[in-house]
Amino acid sequence: MLAQELLRLKMWSTGQQWLIWLLIRPVAILFWTVSHILSWFHGKPPLPPISNPLLLLSATELSHSIRTRKIGCEEVIKAYIARVKEVNPIINAVVQSRFDQALEEARLIDKSLLVNDRTEEELARETPLLGVPVTVKESIPVRGLSNNAGVPNKTRIAEKDGEAVAALKARGAIPLLVSNTPELCLSWETYNPVTGRTNNPYNPLRTSGGSSGGEAALLGSGASVISLGSDIGGSGRIPASFCGVFGHKPSSGYISVQGHMPTSEDPMWTQVFVYAPMARYAEDLPLLFSSCIDDEEKLKELRLDEPVDLSKVKFFYLDRDISKVTSRVHGDVKLAMSKAVTHLETTFKVPVEKIDIDEMKHAAQLSCMLMLRMKPCHTIFQKSDDNLTEWKSVTWQWILWLLGLSRHALHAIIFGSMKWFADTYSDEEIFKMEECKKIIIQKLHGYLGDNGVLLYPTFPDPAHLHMQIYYRQMNAGYLSLFNLVDLPATACPILINSKGLPVGIQVIASRGQDRLTLAVAREMERAFGGWVPPTGTSLLEVKTS
């Protein structure tokens, strides 16, 4: 009986994929044309090169140097403030800063170290991020700063730090600013009517991704070293991939997501929505991840400090899905995958097996529909923030937008239509989707177990021109699937293509086995160099210049 139901789902899904493909064609023609025309008028200069060597140290190195008084914390914070001011006119990533407070906190750290009676080991254990600047996505509360998530005509100031931010501060980190997001984080491109559009540091004509695009742009441009984003459908991984840095979607339940804007009361929310540690250097991800967690039992479960012998890990890869609604995988992404596979096989003398999970071709539809069926999160349609279930007219918002009178971003209006469409699905159709989801989980766990990883494209393309996400949205199935099935995934940069854009892959493991993906990320960085400054100069050349 189940086999028959799944066969019906397969036939239905294939038919729906063809329908979606047909609907996307005119949208693609329109936005491809518009994006290219706008690119003629929206040119920005390239980023200035990085001149201060402090900006090239990892968070791990910075904290160690501050604790041992080799460099001053105030000097580090000043260097990052200067870089933010230098690049933000080009990338437009900052919503609100707290530079004066950050400098004062840095001076207090420098003074405390002069009279400190704790050993360097004690400081490292208690404050592993001592004096390190951190940037935070605006949707995550930082006391005294905007927590509005790009909503026009509203002011929302965080009255206190979110629990994850408080944990970072307790471990010595100094928040510098909150960064740009799409309106209510409802897009894979970072634009809202309040702050505007965030640009890719490698080519400002292209998107930085979303919804953590402000964080990724700051990291990629050398204006941040570690940051805290969020991820519900790839929102931490796609920007990391587009901006050439590392982004980790952790297993759910380890980092508190208290205070995020938007949020939902649905029980599924805390399984599919997570905060995403993001970093320029792979070595900082375990440190940043663990510093966000204020629960010793959870830290013990993750075993992030436990060494991983990659020669004993089982490796698998998929280089594409076979859905008709997703784009073909770009040749540069296939090259990045090939490089990663070849390196692992030759370095660790292990096979990297290509696998096939047929049900994964439904990933875009499954993750989109099942997550949209949740109790609503904050959208532009609620009549009040206190009642998320009573909505304004979606049709009226479309009329206002078509007349040029809407205050809201197009993606925020589209979300309302998608939510309405998802709610029209019958319980029977949702049941079939849930069964398909279970099969994907079973097959993935059958391959991965507790000691396996899967290499998979983060996105089918490198960073595209602004606005092209409107016909590439289904490509997010590559990312959102792993939110739906609650597996950790780490986006890793592998190469810079002929157009000067970063290209990477993501690494997936079973739930709770985040240490495996983080270990592979470090190996990818060691093998291929990791982040490359967007001026086109290699990191080694910058450090020795």
Side-chain angles (χ1 to χ4, degrees), residues 319-358:
D319 57 4
R320 66 186 181 96
D321 70 12
I322 53 175
S323 171
K324 294 176 178 60
V325 301
T326 55
S327 305
R328 292 180 180 178
V329 175
H330 195 282
D332 290 333
V333 177
K334 290 184 177 180
L335 177 60
M337 180 66 71
S338 175
K339 283 179 171 287
V341 168
T342 301
H343 171 74
L344 291 170
E345 288 181 331
T346 56
T347 303
F348 299 102
K349 312 300 179 188
V350 294
V352 182
E353 179 186 349
K354 186 174 184 179
I355 61 173
D356 178 29
I357 299 177
D358 184 66

mmCIF file of all heavy atoms in Angstrom, residues 319-358:
data_model
loop_
_atom_site.group_PDB
_atom_site.id
_atom_site.type_symbol
_atom_site.label_atom_id
_atom_site.label_comp_id
_atom_site.label_asym_id
_atom_site.label_seq_id
_atom_site.Cartn_x
_atom_site.Cartn_y
_atom_site.Cartn_z
ATOM 1 N N ASP A 319 26.299 14.834 -7.053
ATOM 2 C CA ASP A 319 26.670 16.075 -7.711
ATOM 3 C C ASP A 319 25.479 16.821 -8.287
ATOM 4 O O ASP A 319 25.643 17.898 -8.873
ATOM 5 C CB ASP A 319 27.724 15.841 -8.787
ATOM 6 C CG ASP A 319 27.284 14.842 -9.847
ATOM 7 O OD1 ASP A 319 26.115 14.393 -9.781
ATOM 8 O OD2 ASP A 319 28.098 14.498 -10.716
ATOM 9 N N ARG A 320 24.251 16.289 -8.117
ATOM 10 C CA ARG A 320 23.059 17.001 -8.562
ATOM 11 C C ARG A 320 21.828 16.259 -8.082
ATOM 12 O O ARG A 320 21.907 15.097 -7.689
ATOM 13 C CB ARG A 320 23.020 17.100 -10.087
ATOM 14 C CG ARG A 320 22.860 15.742 -10.776
ATOM 15 C CD ARG A 320 22.971 15.860 -12.276
ATOM 16 N NE ARG A 320 22.787 14.571 -12.940
ATOM 17 C CZ ARG A 320 21.644 14.135 -13.451
ATOM 18 N NH1 ARG A 320 20.558 14.904 -13.353
ATOM 19 N NH2 ARG A 320 21.554 12.973 -14.042
ATOM 20 N N ASP A 321 20.678 16.948 -8.099
ATOM 21 C CA ASP A 321 19.421 16.225 -7.986
ATOM 22 C C ASP A 321 18.886 16.039 -9.414
ATOM 23 O O ASP A 321 19.497 16.500 -10.380
ATOM 24 C CB ASP A 321 18.413 16.941 -7.077
ATOM 25 C CG ASP A 321 17.860 18.230 -7.675
ATOM 26 O OD1 ASP A 321 18.062 18.478 -8.873
ATOM 27 O OD2 ASP A 321 17.222 19.005 -6.940
ATOM 28 N N ILE A 322 17.799 15.360 -9.559
ATOM 29 C CA ILE A 322 17.276 15.123 -10.907
ATOM 30 C C ILE A 322 15.888 15.751 -11.055
ATOM 31 O O ILE A 322 15.077 15.303 -11.849
ATOM 32 C CB ILE A 322 17.232 13.616 -11.237
ATOM 33 C CG1 ILE A 322 16.475 12.834 -10.151
ATOM 34 C CG2 ILE A 322 18.616 13.065 -11.435
ATOM 35 C CD1 ILE A 322 16.295 11.352 -10.477
ATOM 36 N N SER A 323 15.660 16.806 -10.305
ATOM 37 C CA SER A 323 14.375 17.490 -10.369
ATOM 38 C C SER A 323 14.298 18.353 -11.629
ATOM 39 O O SER A 323 15.307 18.885 -12.107
ATOM 40 C CB SER A 323 14.185 18.375 -9.138
ATOM 41 O OG SER A 323 13.059 19.197 -9.275
ATOM 42 N N LYS A 324 13.109 18.485 -12.155
ATOM 43 C CA LYS A 324 12.893 19.343 -13.317
ATOM 44 C C LYS A 324 12.723 20.808 -12.932
ATOM 45 O O LYS A 324 12.705 21.678 -13.811
ATOM 46 C CB LYS A 324 11.661 18.852 -14.087
ATOM 47 C CG LYS A 324 11.862 17.480 -14.717
ATOM 48 C CD LYS A 324 10.597 16.986 -15.381
ATOM 49 C CE LYS A 324 10.822 15.636 -16.057
ATOM 50 N NZ LYS A 324 11.248 14.596 -15.099
ATOM 51 N N VAL A 325 12.579 21.099 -11.633
ATOM 52 C CA VAL A 325 12.348 22.481 -11.223
ATOM 53 C C VAL A 325 13.628 23.180 -10.797
ATOM 54 O O VAL A 325 13.614 24.378 -10.515
ATOM 55 C CB VAL A 325 11.303 22.565 -10.085
ATOM 56 C CG1 VAL A 325 9.989 21.963 -10.527
ATOM 57 C CG2 VAL A 325 11.805 21.885 -8.810
ATOM 58 N N THR A 326 14.742 22.449 -10.706
ATOM 59 C CA THR A 326 16.004 23.069 -10.320
ATOM 60 C C THR A 326 16.888 23.250 -11.549
ATOM 61 O O THR A 326 16.776 22.526 -12.538
ATOM 62 C CB THR A 326 16.740 22.224 -9.269
ATOM 63 O OG1 THR A 326 16.902 20.888 -9.758
ATOM 64 C CG2 THR A 326 15.972 22.185 -7.964
ATOM 65 N N SER A 327 17.800 24.222 -11.451
ATOM 66 C CA SER A 327 18.710 24.495 -12.559
ATOM 67 C C SER A 327 19.739 23.380 -12.700
ATOM 68 O O SER A 327 20.023 22.645 -11.746
ATOM 69 C CB SER A 327 19.442 25.819 -12.321
ATOM 70 O OG SER A 327 18.539 26.877 -12.111
ATOM 71 N N ARG A 328 20.294 23.289 -13.891
ATOM 72 C CA ARG A 328 21.420 22.380 -14.069
ATOM 73 C C ARG A 328 22.588 22.858 -13.225
ATOM 74 O O ARG A 328 22.825 24.058 -13.082
ATOM 75 C CB ARG A 328 21.838 22.329 -15.538
ATOM 76 C CG ARG A 328 20.813 21.672 -16.457
ATOM 77 C CD ARG A 328 21.325 21.665 -17.881
ATOM 78 N NE ARG A 328 20.358 21.034 -18.779
ATOM 79 C CZ ARG A 328 20.532 20.921 -20.086
ATOM 80 N NH1 ARG A 328 21.625 21.413 -20.655
ATOM 81 N NH2 ARG A 328 19.607 20.321 -20.832
ATOM 82 N N VAL A 329 23.338 21.902 -12.690
ATOM 83 C CA VAL A 329 24.489 22.269 -11.873
ATOM 84 C C VAL A 329 25.577 22.856 -12.770
ATOM 85 O O VAL A 329 25.966 22.255 -13.779
ATOM 86 C CB VAL A 329 25.012 21.053 -11.086
ATOM 87 C CG1 VAL A 329 26.286 21.415 -10.329
ATOM 88 C CG2 VAL A 329 23.946 20.561 -10.113
ATOM 89 N N HIS A 330 26.045 24.038 -12.403
ATOM 90 C CA HIS A 330 27.057 24.761 -13.165
ATOM 91 C C HIS A 330 28.358 23.954 -13.222
ATOM 92 O O HIS A 330 28.718 23.254 -12.270
ATOM 93 C CB HIS A 330 27.305 26.112 -12.499
ATOM 94 C CG HIS A 330 28.047 27.095 -13.334
ATOM 95 N ND1 HIS A 330 29.408 27.047 -13.521
ATOM 96 C CD2 HIS A 330 27.615 28.179 -14.037
ATOM 97 C CE1 HIS A 330 29.783 28.044 -14.289
ATOM 98 N NE2 HIS A 330 28.716 28.752 -14.620
ATOM 99 N N GLY A 331 29.077 24.093 -14.311
ATOM 100 C CA GLY A 331 30.339 23.375 -14.476
ATOM 101 C C GLY A 331 31.350 23.685 -13.391
ATOM 102 O O GLY A 331 32.132 22.811 -12.980
ATOM 103 N N ASP A 332 31.347 24.923 -12.880
ATOM 104 C CA ASP A 332 32.283 25.283 -11.812
ATOM 105 C C ASP A 332 31.955 24.542 -10.514
ATOM 106 O O ASP A 332 32.861 24.177 -9.745
ATOM 107 C CB ASP A 332 32.254 26.789 -11.562
ATOM 108 C CG ASP A 332 32.867 27.576 -12.707
ATOM 109 O OD1 ASP A 332 33.723 27.024 -13.413
ATOM 110 O OD2 ASP A 332 32.463 28.742 -12.903
ATOM 111 N N VAL A 333 30.661 24.331 -10.254
ATOM 112 C CA VAL A 333 30.259 23.594 -9.061
ATOM 113 C C VAL A 333 30.665 22.120 -9.203
ATOM 114 O O VAL A 333 31.156 21.491 -8.255
ATOM 115 C CB VAL A 333 28.748 23.729 -8.815
ATOM 116 C CG1 VAL A 333 28.318 22.896 -7.607
ATOM 117 C CG2 VAL A 333 28.368 25.192 -8.613
ATOM 118 N N LYS A 334 30.492 21.568 -10.405
ATOM 119 C CA LYS A 334 30.930 20.188 -10.644
ATOM 120 C C LYS A 334 32.442 20.066 -10.487
ATOM 121 O O LYS A 334 32.939 19.069 -9.955
ATOM 122 C CB LYS A 334 30.502 19.744 -12.040
ATOM 123 C CG LYS A 334 29.010 19.539 -12.201
ATOM 124 C CD LYS A 334 28.673 19.013 -13.589
ATOM 125 C CE LYS A 334 27.182 18.737 -13.730
ATOM 126 N NZ LYS A 334 26.843 18.224 -15.077
ATOM 127 N N LEU A 335 33.177 21.081 -10.941
ATOM 128 C CA LEU A 335 34.633 21.068 -10.789
ATOM 129 C C LEU A 335 35.024 21.110 -9.316
ATOM 130 O O LEU A 335 35.934 20.383 -8.880
ATOM 131 C CB LEU A 335 35.238 22.263 -11.527
ATOM 132 C CG LEU A 335 36.761 22.420 -11.407
ATOM 133 C CD1 LEU A 335 37.489 21.202 -11.972
ATOM 134 C CD2 LEU A 335 37.212 23.709 -12.112
ATOM 135 N N ALA A 336 34.348 21.945 -8.534
ATOM 136 C CA ALA A 336 34.630 22.012 -7.096
ATOM 137 C C ALA A 336 34.376 20.657 -6.436
ATOM 138 O O ALA A 336 35.166 20.200 -5.603
ATOM 139 C CB ALA A 336 33.774 23.095 -6.450
ATOM 140 N N MET A 337 33.261 20.013 -6.815
ATOM 141 C CA MET A 337 32.954 18.702 -6.263
ATOM 142 C C MET A 337 34.037 17.690 -6.649
ATOM 143 O O MET A 337 34.499 16.895 -5.816
ATOM 144 C CB MET A 337 31.589 18.236 -6.763
ATOM 145 C CG MET A 337 31.148 16.870 -6.246
ATOM 146 S SD MET A 337 30.860 16.857 -4.461
ATOM 147 C CE MET A 337 29.351 17.840 -4.390
ATOM 148 N N SER A 338 34.438 17.711 -7.910
ATOM 149 C CA SER A 338 35.455 16.779 -8.387
ATOM 150 C C SER A 338 36.779 16.969 -7.643
ATOM 151 O O SER A 338 37.443 15.995 -7.266
ATOM 152 C CB SER A 338 35.676 16.972 -9.893
ATOM 153 O OG SER A 338 36.724 16.167 -10.359
ATOM 154 N N LYS A 339 37.154 18.215 -7.421
ATOM 155 C CA LYS A 339 38.389 18.496 -6.685
ATOM 156 C C LYS A 339 38.317 17.946 -5.258
ATOM 157 O O LYS A 339 39.286 17.355 -4.750
ATOM 158 C CB LYS A 339 38.649 20.005 -6.647
ATOM 159 C CG LYS A 339 39.191 20.580 -7.948
ATOM 160 C CD LYS A 339 39.381 22.080 -7.802
ATOM 161 C CE LYS A 339 40.122 22.666 -9.007
ATOM 162 N NZ LYS A 339 41.550 22.299 -9.001
ATOM 163 N N ALA A 340 37.170 18.164 -4.603
ATOM 164 C CA ALA A 340 37.015 17.688 -3.228
ATOM 165 C C ALA A 340 37.063 16.165 -3.163
ATOM 166 O O ALA A 340 37.736 15.588 -2.299
ATOM 167 C CB ALA A 340 35.697 18.208 -2.644
ATOM 168 N N VAL A 341 36.353 15.504 -4.064
ATOM 169 C CA VAL A 341 36.320 14.036 -4.094
ATOM 170 C C VAL A 341 37.721 13.481 -4.346
ATOM 171 O O VAL A 341 38.188 12.569 -3.643
ATOM 172 C CB VAL A 341 35.328 13.544 -5.165
ATOM 173 C CG1 VAL A 341 35.503 12.042 -5.410
ATOM 174 C CG2 VAL A 341 33.895 13.844 -4.741
ATOM 175 N N THR A 342 38.404 14.021 -5.349
ATOM 176 C CA THR A 342 39.750 13.536 -5.689
ATOM 177 C C THR A 342 40.718 13.731 -4.531
ATOM 178 O O THR A 342 41.523 12.844 -4.225
ATOM 179 C CB THR A 342 40.268 14.264 -6.942
ATOM 180 O OG1 THR A 342 39.379 14.026 -8.030
ATOM 181 C CG2 THR A 342 41.667 13.790 -7.306
ATOM 182 N N HIS A 343 40.622 14.886 -3.880
ATOM 183 C CA HIS A 343 41.530 15.143 -2.750
ATOM 184 C C HIS A 343 41.317 14.134 -1.630
ATOM 185 O O HIS A 343 42.294 13.592 -1.082
ATOM 186 C CB HIS A 343 41.320 16.554 -2.214
ATOM 187 C CG HIS A 343 42.052 16.813 -0.940
ATOM 188 N ND1 HIS A 343 43.415 16.989 -0.882
ATOM 189 C CD2 HIS A 343 41.606 16.873 0.356
ATOM 190 C CE1 HIS A 343 43.786 17.163 0.380
ATOM 191 N NE2 HIS A 343 42.715 17.103 1.145
ATOM 192 N N LEU A 344 40.074 13.877 -1.264
ATOM 193 C CA LEU A 344 39.811 12.939 -0.178
ATOM 194 C C LEU A 344 40.292 11.532 -0.533
ATOM 195 O O LEU A 344 40.876 10.829 0.303
ATOM 196 C CB LEU A 344 38.317 12.921 0.142
ATOM 197 C CG LEU A 344 37.762 14.207 0.779
ATOM 198 C CD1 LEU A 344 36.243 14.168 0.822
ATOM 199 C CD2 LEU A 344 38.325 14.413 2.188
ATOM 200 N N GLU A 345 40.063 11.125 -1.766
ATOM 201 C CA GLU A 345 40.470 9.775 -2.175
ATOM 202 C C GLU A 345 41.986 9.625 -2.187
ATOM 203 O O GLU A 345 42.512 8.603 -1.733
ATOM 204 C CB GLU A 345 39.901 9.464 -3.568
ATOM 205 C CG GLU A 345 38.395 9.234 -3.564
ATOM 206 C CD GLU A 345 37.852 8.898 -4.937
ATOM 207 O OE1 GLU A 345 38.452 9.354 -5.943
ATOM 208 O OE2 GLU A 345 36.831 8.184 -5.013
ATOM 209 N N THR A 346 42.698 10.609 -2.689
ATOM 210 C CA THR A 346 44.151 10.497 -2.789
ATOM 211 C C THR A 346 44.853 10.745 -1.457
ATOM 212 O O THR A 346 45.891 10.133 -1.173
ATOM 213 C CB THR A 346 44.692 11.482 -3.837
ATOM 214 O OG1 THR A 346 44.276 12.805 -3.504
ATOM 215 C CG2 THR A 346 44.175 11.128 -5.219
ATOM 216 N N THR A 347 44.305 11.632 -0.642
ATOM 217 C CA THR A 347 44.962 11.991 0.624
ATOM 218 C C THR A 347 44.735 10.942 1.699
ATOM 219 O O THR A 347 45.662 10.570 2.436
ATOM 220 C CB THR A 347 44.456 13.360 1.121
ATOM 221 O OG1 THR A 347 44.684 14.341 0.117
ATOM 222 C CG2 THR A 347 45.168 13.771 2.406
ATOM 223 N N PHE A 348 43.508 10.439 1.791
ATOM 224 C CA PHE A 348 43.180 9.521 2.890
ATOM 225 C C PHE A 348 42.999 8.079 2.431
ATOM 226 O O PHE A 348 42.683 7.208 3.250
ATOM 227 C CB PHE A 348 41.912 10.019 3.601
ATOM 228 C CG PHE A 348 42.079 11.376 4.208
ATOM 229 C CD1 PHE A 348 41.550 12.510 3.590
ATOM 230 C CD2 PHE A 348 42.803 11.543 5.376
ATOM 231 C CE1 PHE A 348 41.720 13.770 4.131
ATOM 232 C CE2 PHE A 348 42.982 12.812 5.937
ATOM 233 C CZ PHE A 348 42.443 13.929 5.301
ATOM 234 N N LYS A 349 43.219 7.845 1.130
ATOM 235 C CA LYS A 349 43.151 6.481 0.586
ATOM 236 C C LYS A 349 41.820 5.809 0.925
ATOM 237 O O LYS A 349 41.770 4.646 1.323
ATOM 238 C CB LYS A 349 44.308 5.625 1.116
ATOM 239 C CG LYS A 349 45.677 6.270 1.021
ATOM 240 C CD LYS A 349 46.056 6.603 -0.412
ATOM 241 C CE LYS A 349 47.430 7.275 -0.478
ATOM 242 N NZ LYS A 349 47.747 7.778 -1.843
ATOM 243 N N VAL A 350 40.746 6.580 0.757
ATOM 244 C CA VAL A 350 39.405 6.050 1.026
ATOM 245 C C VAL A 350 38.546 6.247 -0.208
ATOM 246 O O VAL A 350 38.734 7.210 -0.960
ATOM 247 C CB VAL A 350 38.746 6.753 2.237
ATOM 248 C CG1 VAL A 350 39.490 6.451 3.525
ATOM 249 C CG2 VAL A 350 38.653 8.256 2.007
ATOM 250 N N PRO A 351 37.594 5.367 -0.445
ATOM 251 C CA PRO A 351 36.685 5.579 -1.574
ATOM 252 C C PRO A 351 35.663 6.659 -1.230
ATOM 253 O O PRO A 351 35.228 6.779 -0.090
ATOM 254 C CB PRO A 351 36.013 4.218 -1.744
ATOM 255 C CG PRO A 351 36.052 3.610 -0.374
ATOM 256 C CD PRO A 351 37.331 4.100 0.259
ATOM 257 N N VAL A 352 35.292 7.454 -2.215
ATOM 258 C CA VAL A 352 34.202 8.408 -2.075
ATOM 259 C C VAL A 352 33.121 7.938 -3.035
ATOM 260 O O VAL A 352 33.230 8.092 -4.248
ATOM 261 C CB VAL A 352 34.637 9.848 -2.391
ATOM 262 C CG1 VAL A 352 33.473 10.814 -2.179
ATOM 263 C CG2 VAL A 352 35.827 10.249 -1.519
ATOM 264 N N GLU A 353 32.087 7.342 -2.477
ATOM 265 C CA GLU A 353 31.090 6.632 -3.279
ATOM 266 C C GLU A 353 29.994 7.576 -3.754
ATOM 267 O O GLU A 353 29.403 8.314 -2.968
ATOM 268 C CB GLU A 353 30.468 5.510 -2.438
ATOM 269 C CG GLU A 353 29.401 4.710 -3.169
ATOM 270 C CD GLU A 353 28.712 3.697 -2.271
ATOM 271 O OE1 GLU A 353 29.186 3.465 -1.140
ATOM 272 O OE2 GLU A 353 27.677 3.149 -2.693
ATOM 273 N N LYS A 354 29.725 7.534 -5.050
ATOM 274 C CA LYS A 354 28.597 8.290 -5.586
ATOM 275 C C LYS A 354 27.321 7.505 -5.326
ATOM 276 O O LYS A 354 27.240 6.318 -5.650
ATOM 277 C CB LYS A 354 28.756 8.528 -7.088
ATOM 278 C CG LYS A 354 27.674 9.443 -7.659
ATOM 279 C CD LYS A 354 27.928 9.788 -9.118
ATOM 280 C CE LYS A 354 26.897 10.789 -9.636
ATOM 281 N NZ LYS A 354 27.134 11.159 -11.044
ATOM 282 N N ILE A 355 26.341 8.153 -4.723
ATOM 283 C CA ILE A 355 25.103 7.477 -4.360
ATOM 284 C C ILE A 355 23.939 8.088 -5.117
ATOM 285 O O ILE A 355 24.068 9.134 -5.760
ATOM 286 C CB ILE A 355 24.851 7.539 -2.836
ATOM 287 C CG1 ILE A 355 24.716 8.990 -2.360
ATOM 288 C CG2 ILE A 355 25.962 6.809 -2.079
ATOM 289 C CD1 ILE A 355 24.314 9.139 -0.907
ATOM 290 N N ASP A 356 22.811 7.455 -5.016
ATOM 291 C CA ASP A 356 21.604 7.937 -5.691
ATOM 292 C C ASP A 356 20.413 7.719 -4.767
ATOM 293 O O ASP A 356 20.147 6.587 -4.355
ATOM 294 C CB ASP A 356 21.396 7.188 -7.006
ATOM 295 C CG ASP A 356 20.121 7.639 -7.716
ATOM 296 O OD1 ASP A 356 19.734 8.804 -7.533
ATOM 297 O OD2 ASP A 356 19.514 6.824 -8.429
ATOM 298 N N ILE A 357 19.771 8.814 -4.399
ATOM 299 C CA ILE A 357 18.541 8.748 -3.598
ATOM 300 C C ILE A 357 17.458 9.404 -4.439
ATOM 301 O O ILE A 357 17.339 10.633 -4.492
ATOM 302 C CB ILE A 357 18.707 9.452 -2.236
ATOM 303 C CG1 ILE A 357 19.819 8.773 -1.430
ATOM 304 C CG2 ILE A 357 17.402 9.409 -1.452
ATOM 305 C CD1 ILE A 357 20.116 9.440 -0.091
ATOM 306 N N ASP A 358 16.678 8.585 -5.117
ATOM 307 C CA ASP A 358 15.712 9.070 -6.096
ATOM 308 C C ASP A 358 14.740 10.077 -5.490
ATOM 309 O O ASP A 358 14.358 11.063 -6.133
ATOM 310 C CB ASP A 358 14.948 7.888 -6.699
ATOM 311 C CG ASP A 358 13.983 8.330 -7.797
ATOM 312 O OD1 ASP A 358 14.474 8.806 -8.842
ATOM 313 O OD2 ASP A 358 12.754 8.220 -7.591
#
